[in-house]
Short mmCIF file of all heavy atoms in Angstrom, two decimals:
data_model
loop_
_atom_site.label_atom_id
_atom_site.label_comp_id
_atom_site.label_asym_id
_atom_site.label_seq_id
_atom_site.Cartn_x
_atom_site.Cartn_y
_atom_site.Cartn_z
N ALA A 70 15.72 31.24 20.63
CA ALA A 70 15.79 29.79 20.74
C ALA A 70 14.63 29.05 20.08
O ALA A 70 14.78 27.89 19.66
CB ALA A 70 15.88 29.39 22.21
N ASN A 71 13.48 29.67 19.97
CA ASN A 71 12.32 29.02 19.35
C ASN A 71 11.22 30.05 19.11
O ASN A 71 11.34 31.20 19.56
CB ASN A 71 11.80 27.87 20.25
CG ASN A 71 11.49 28.34 21.65
OD1 ASN A 71 10.56 29.11 21.86
ND2 ASN A 71 12.30 27.92 22.61
N GLY A 72 10.18 29.64 18.44
CA GLY A 72 9.11 30.57 18.08
C GLY A 72 8.28 31.01 19.28
O GLY A 72 7.72 32.10 19.28
N SER A 73 8.20 30.16 20.28
CA SER A 73 7.44 30.53 21.49
C SER A 73 8.16 31.63 22.25
O SER A 73 7.55 32.61 22.68
CB SER A 73 7.26 29.31 22.40
OG SER A 73 6.75 28.23 21.68
N ASP A 74 9.46 31.47 22.42
CA ASP A 74 10.26 32.53 23.07
C ASP A 74 10.20 33.82 22.25
O ASP A 74 10.22 34.91 22.82
CB ASP A 74 11.73 32.10 23.20
CG ASP A 74 11.96 31.19 24.40
OD1 ASP A 74 10.97 30.79 25.05
OD2 ASP A 74 13.13 30.88 24.68
N ILE A 76 7.73 35.07 20.66
CA ILE A 76 6.50 35.78 21.04
C ILE A 76 6.67 36.40 22.42
O ILE A 76 6.39 37.58 22.65
CB ILE A 76 5.27 34.83 21.04
CG1 ILE A 76 5.08 34.17 19.68
CG2 ILE A 76 4.00 35.58 21.44
CD1 ILE A 76 4.07 33.02 19.68
N THR A 97 -5.65 28.40 17.64
CA THR A 97 -4.24 28.50 17.24
C THR A 97 -3.46 27.47 18.03
O THR A 97 -4.00 26.77 18.89
CB THR A 97 -3.70 29.92 17.52
OG1 THR A 97 -2.28 29.95 17.28
CG2 THR A 97 -3.94 30.36 18.96
N PHE A 98 -2.17 27.40 17.76
CA PHE A 98 -1.29 26.54 18.53
C PHE A 98 -1.16 27.12 19.94
O PHE A 98 -1.17 28.33 20.13
CB PHE A 98 0.08 26.43 17.84
CG PHE A 98 1.06 25.57 18.59
CD1 PHE A 98 0.75 24.24 18.88
CD2 PHE A 98 2.26 26.08 19.02
CE1 PHE A 98 1.64 23.44 19.59
CE2 PHE A 98 3.17 25.28 19.73
CZ PHE A 98 2.85 23.97 20.00
N PHE A 99 -0.99 26.23 20.90
CA PHE A 99 -0.94 26.63 22.32
C PHE A 99 0.03 27.77 22.61
O PHE A 99 -0.25 28.66 23.43
CB PHE A 99 -0.58 25.41 23.19
CG PHE A 99 -0.33 25.79 24.61
CD1 PHE A 99 -1.39 26.09 25.45
CD2 PHE A 99 0.97 25.92 25.10
CE1 PHE A 99 -1.17 26.48 26.76
CE2 PHE A 99 1.20 26.32 26.40
CZ PHE A 99 0.12 26.59 27.24
N ALA A 100 1.19 27.76 21.94
CA ALA A 100 2.27 28.70 22.28
C ALA A 100 1.85 30.16 22.17
O ALA A 100 2.39 31.02 22.87
CB ALA A 100 3.49 28.44 21.42
N THR A 101 0.90 30.46 21.28
CA THR A 101 0.45 31.85 21.14
C THR A 101 0.00 32.38 22.50
O THR A 101 0.46 33.44 22.95
CB THR A 101 -0.74 31.93 20.15
OG1 THR A 101 -0.41 31.23 18.95
CG2 THR A 101 -1.08 33.37 19.83
N SER A 104 2.72 31.88 25.60
CA SER A 104 3.75 32.92 25.71
C SER A 104 3.23 34.16 26.43
O SER A 104 3.97 34.85 27.12
CB SER A 104 4.26 33.30 24.32
OG SER A 104 4.73 32.15 23.66
N VAL A 143 -2.64 35.80 14.77
CA VAL A 143 -1.89 34.65 14.26
C VAL A 143 -2.17 34.52 12.77
O VAL A 143 -3.33 34.61 12.35
CB VAL A 143 -2.32 33.36 15.00
CG1 VAL A 143 -1.54 32.16 14.48
CG2 VAL A 143 -2.13 33.51 16.50
N HIS A 144 -1.13 34.32 11.98
CA HIS A 144 -1.31 34.12 10.54
C HIS A 144 -1.43 32.62 10.30
O HIS A 144 -0.47 31.95 9.92
CB HIS A 144 -0.13 34.72 9.78
CG HIS A 144 0.10 36.17 10.08
ND1 HIS A 144 -0.93 37.06 10.29
CD2 HIS A 144 1.24 36.89 10.21
CE1 HIS A 144 -0.41 38.27 10.52
NE2 HIS A 144 0.89 38.19 10.49
N LEU A 145 -2.64 32.10 10.56
CA LEU A 145 -2.81 30.65 10.65
C LEU A 145 -2.73 29.95 9.30
O LEU A 145 -3.28 30.44 8.30
CB LEU A 145 -4.14 30.33 11.32
CG LEU A 145 -4.18 28.93 11.96
CD1 LEU A 145 -3.28 28.85 13.18
CD2 LEU A 145 -5.60 28.55 12.33
N ASP A 169 2.02 36.70 15.34
CA ASP A 169 2.54 35.34 15.42
C ASP A 169 2.58 34.79 13.99
O ASP A 169 1.57 34.30 13.46
CB ASP A 169 1.66 34.48 16.33
CG ASP A 169 2.17 33.04 16.45
OD1 ASP A 169 3.05 32.66 15.65
OD2 ASP A 169 1.66 32.31 17.31
N ALA A 170 3.77 34.89 13.39
CA ALA A 170 3.94 34.48 11.99
C ALA A 170 4.69 33.16 11.89
O ALA A 170 5.35 32.88 10.89
CB ALA A 170 4.67 35.58 11.22
N ALA A 171 4.58 32.33 12.94
CA ALA A 171 5.29 31.04 12.97
C ALA A 171 5.00 30.21 11.73
O ALA A 171 5.84 29.47 11.25
CB ALA A 171 4.89 30.27 14.23
N GLN A 172 3.77 30.34 11.19
CA GLN A 172 3.37 29.52 10.05
C GLN A 172 3.40 30.31 8.74
O GLN A 172 2.96 29.80 7.71
CB GLN A 172 1.95 28.97 10.29
CG GLN A 172 1.83 28.18 11.59
CD GLN A 172 0.47 27.53 11.77
OE1 GLN A 172 -0.41 27.65 10.93
NE2 GLN A 172 0.30 26.81 12.88
N THR A 191 6.88 37.40 14.74
CA THR A 191 7.74 36.33 15.23
C THR A 191 7.64 35.11 14.33
O THR A 191 6.56 34.76 13.85
CB THR A 191 7.32 35.93 16.66
OG1 THR A 191 5.97 35.43 16.63
CG2 THR A 191 7.40 37.11 17.61
N TYR A 192 8.79 34.49 14.10
CA TYR A 192 8.86 33.27 13.28
C TYR A 192 9.34 32.10 14.12
O TYR A 192 10.03 32.28 15.12
CB TYR A 192 9.85 33.47 12.13
CG TYR A 192 9.45 34.51 11.12
CD1 TYR A 192 10.28 35.60 10.86
CD2 TYR A 192 8.25 34.41 10.42
CE1 TYR A 192 9.94 36.56 9.92
CE2 TYR A 192 7.90 35.37 9.48
CZ TYR A 192 8.74 36.44 9.23
OH TYR A 192 8.38 37.38 8.31
N SER A 193 8.99 30.90 13.67
CA SER A 193 9.50 29.67 14.27
C SER A 193 10.25 28.90 13.20
O SER A 193 9.82 28.84 12.05
CB SER A 193 8.33 28.82 14.78
OG SER A 193 8.76 27.49 15.01
N PHE A 194 11.39 28.31 13.60
CA PHE A 194 12.12 27.43 12.68
C PHE A 194 12.03 25.98 13.13
O PHE A 194 12.92 25.17 12.85
CB PHE A 194 13.60 27.86 12.58
CG PHE A 194 13.78 29.31 12.23
CD1 PHE A 194 14.56 30.15 13.02
CD2 PHE A 194 13.16 29.85 11.11
CE1 PHE A 194 14.72 31.50 12.70
CE2 PHE A 194 13.31 31.20 10.78
CZ PHE A 194 14.09 32.02 11.58
N PHE A 195 10.98 25.64 13.86
CA PHE A 195 10.71 24.24 14.20
C PHE A 195 10.80 23.43 12.90
O PHE A 195 10.42 23.93 11.83
CB PHE A 195 9.30 24.15 14.81
CG PHE A 195 8.96 22.79 15.34
CD1 PHE A 195 9.48 22.36 16.56
CD2 PHE A 195 8.14 21.94 14.62
CE1 PHE A 195 9.17 21.10 17.03
CE2 PHE A 195 7.83 20.67 15.10
CZ PHE A 195 8.35 20.25 16.32
N THR A 197 9.25 21.35 11.18
CA THR A 197 8.14 21.19 10.23
C THR A 197 7.64 22.52 9.65
O THR A 197 6.77 22.51 8.78
CB THR A 197 6.93 20.53 10.93
OG1 THR A 197 6.51 21.38 12.00
CG2 THR A 197 7.28 19.16 11.48
N LYS A 198 8.17 23.62 10.11
CA LYS A 198 7.69 24.92 9.60
C LYS A 198 8.22 25.16 8.18
O LYS A 198 9.11 24.45 7.72
CB LYS A 198 8.13 26.04 10.55
CG LYS A 198 7.52 25.90 11.96
CD LYS A 198 6.05 26.27 12.03
CE LYS A 198 5.32 25.65 13.18
NZ LYS A 198 5.42 26.31 14.47
N ASP A 205 15.23 23.27 17.24
CA ASP A 205 14.41 24.45 17.51
C ASP A 205 15.11 25.75 17.13
O ASP A 205 16.34 25.83 17.18
CB ASP A 205 14.05 24.51 19.00
CG ASP A 205 12.95 23.53 19.37
OD1 ASP A 205 11.88 23.60 18.74
OD2 ASP A 205 13.17 22.70 20.27
N GLY A 206 14.33 26.74 16.80
CA GLY A 206 14.86 28.07 16.50
C GLY A 206 13.72 29.03 16.28
O GLY A 206 12.57 28.62 16.04
N GLY A 207 14.01 30.32 16.39
CA GLY A 207 12.96 31.31 16.15
C GLY A 207 13.57 32.68 15.88
O GLY A 207 14.79 32.85 16.00
N HIS A 298 1.38 26.76 4.85
CA HIS A 298 2.08 25.92 5.83
C HIS A 298 1.26 24.64 6.01
O HIS A 298 1.80 23.54 6.07
CB HIS A 298 2.22 26.67 7.15
CG HIS A 298 2.72 25.79 8.24
ND1 HIS A 298 3.94 25.16 8.18
CD2 HIS A 298 2.16 25.39 9.41
CE1 HIS A 298 4.11 24.43 9.27
NE2 HIS A 298 3.05 24.54 10.02
N TYR A 325 -6.71 22.59 14.92
CA TYR A 325 -6.39 22.05 16.22
C TYR A 325 -7.65 21.42 16.79
O TYR A 325 -8.74 21.94 16.59
CB TYR A 325 -5.88 23.18 17.10
CG TYR A 325 -4.57 23.73 16.53
CD1 TYR A 325 -4.58 24.80 15.65
CD2 TYR A 325 -3.36 23.13 16.85
CE1 TYR A 325 -3.39 25.27 15.11
CE2 TYR A 325 -2.16 23.60 16.30
CZ TYR A 325 -2.19 24.66 15.42
OH TYR A 325 -1.03 25.11 14.86
C1 LIG B 2 4.98 26.51 15.82
C2 LIG B 2 4.17 27.62 16.35
C3 LIG B 2 4.58 28.37 17.47
C4 LIG B 2 5.73 28.02 18.34
O1 LIG B 2 6.95 27.85 17.74
P1 LIG B 2 8.05 26.91 18.42
O2 LIG B 2 9.26 27.22 17.60
O3 LIG B 2 7.59 25.50 18.28
O4 LIG B 2 8.20 27.33 19.83
C5 LIG B 2 3.80 29.45 17.85
N1 LIG B 2 2.67 29.76 17.20
C6 LIG B 2 2.23 29.06 16.15
C7 LIG B 2 0.97 29.48 15.46
C8 LIG B 2 2.96 27.96 15.70
O5 LIG B 2 2.50 27.26 14.65
#
Side-chain angles (χ1 to χ4, degrees):
N71 55 67
S73 308
D74 279 7
I76 303 168
T97 173
F98 179 58
F99 172 76
T101 310
S104 304
V143 180
H144 304 323
L145 203 69
D169 180 348
Q172 304 186 359
T191 62
Y192 295 122
S193 164
F194 307 127
F195 186 77
T197 61
K198 298 286 157 82
D205 283 305
H298 171 60
Y325 296 92

